[in-house]
Amino acid sequence: MTLRAGLSLVLALAAAAPGVADIKITPVVTAGQVSASFSAPDAFTDDSREVVKSGVPLTFAYLVELRRPSTIWWDRTLGAASVTASVKFDNLTKIYQVTKQQDGRVTASQTTAKEDEMRAWATSFDAVPIQAAEPLEPNADYYVRVRLDAHPRMHFSLWPFGRIDADGRASFTFIR
């Protein structure tokens, strides 16, 4: 395979990969502590719906990071939180069960027969606390980044670098 053919193949695979959905993030700083509310309504795709309707549990795993931008080196991660939303559909009762976890602990569990309610519960979180390893500096710039990875996937990807299903970032300046 020539270099040109290899490059064409990589570009074709990248173009064929589904787009990454946007996550809308609202960072909130109270008494020097950062929390983030976010939603990713476009992350629940037709493939996600197929997985849920088949009865297989679908898990949306979110990584929420507090980061400080750097002009010289990579941005520093000051704190992170891991939250998940798992959806299970009971084909007999036609009821959705949504369970939310934060850092491995169950924080909420809800049932509904309405698909749009289930979608909203699975793709949004309110006031997720992010524990910073050090105090925030006054008048410094920060941002909250949220990444979503959904499991299982209905389609196999040949893209070798891993894949995220949704991504978002919201910047803020800490003023005290």
Coordinates of all heavy atoms in Angstrom, one line a residue, residues 24-28 35-39 127 144 170:
K24 N -23.8 20.7 26.5 CA -23.9 22.1 27.0 C -23.6 22.1 28.5 O -24.3 21.3 29.3 CB -25.4 22.6 26.8 CG -25.7 22.7 25.3 CD -27.2 22.7 25.0 CE -27.5 22.6 23.6 NZ -27.1 21.3 23.0
I25 N -22.7 22.9 28.9 CA -22.2 22.9 30.3 C -22.4 24.3 31.0 O -22.1 25.3 30.3 CB -20.7 22.6 30.3 CG1 -20.4 21.3 29.6 CG2 -20.2 22.5 31.8 CD1 -19.0 21.0 29.3
T26 N -22.8 24.2 32.2 CA -22.9 25.4 33.0 C -22.1 25.2 34.3 O -22.5 24.5 35.2 CB -24.4 25.8 33.4 OG1 -25.1 25.8 32.2 CG2 -24.5 27.1 34.2
P27 N -20.9 25.8 34.4 CA -20.1 25.7 35.6 C -20.6 26.7 36.6 O -21.0 27.8 36.3 CB -18.7 26.1 35.2 CG -18.8 26.8 33.9 CD -20.1 26.5 33.3
V28 N -20.6 26.3 37.9 CA -21.0 27.2 39.0 C -19.9 27.1 40.1 O -19.5 26.0 40.5 CB -22.4 26.7 39.6 CG1 -22.7 27.6 40.8 CG2 -23.4 26.8 38.5
S35 N -18.9 23.3 40.7 CA -19.8 22.2 40.3 C -20.3 22.5 38.8 O -20.1 23.6 38.4 CB -21.0 22.1 41.2 OG -21.8 23.3 41.1
A36 N -20.8 21.5 38.2 CA -21.1 21.6 36.8 C -22.5 21.0 36.5 O -22.7 19.8 36.9 CB -20.1 21.1 35.8
S37 N -23.4 21.7 35.8 CA -24.6 21.1 35.3 C -24.4 21.0 33.8 O -23.8 21.9 33.2 CB -25.8 22.0 35.6 OG -26.0 22.1 37.0
F38 N -24.9 19.9 33.2 CA -24.7 19.7 31.8 C -25.7 18.8 31.2 O -26.4 18.1 31.9 CB -23.3 19.1 31.5 CG -23.0 17.8 32.2 CD1 -23.3 16.6 31.6 CD2 -22.4 17.7 33.4 CE1 -23.1 15.4 32.2 CE2 -22.1 16.5 34.1 CZ -22.5 15.4 33.4
S39 N -25.9 18.9 29.9 CA -26.8 18.1 29.2 C -26.3 17.8 27.8 O -25.6 18.6 27.2 CB -28.2 18.7 29.1 OG -28.2 19.9 28.3
A127 N -25.6 20.0 39.0 CA -24.7 20.3 40.1 C -23.8 19.2 40.5 O -23.7 18.7 41.6 CB -25.5 20.8 41.3
V144 N -14.4 23.8 32.4 CA -14.9 22.5 32.8 C -15.1 21.8 31.4 O -15.7 22.3 30.5 CB -16.2 22.6 33.5 CG1 -16.9 21.2 33.7 CG2 -16.0 23.3 34.8
A170 N -16.7 24.5 28.8 CA -17.2 25.9 29.2 C -16.2 26.5 30.1 O -15.7 26.0 31.1 CB -18.5 25.8 30.0

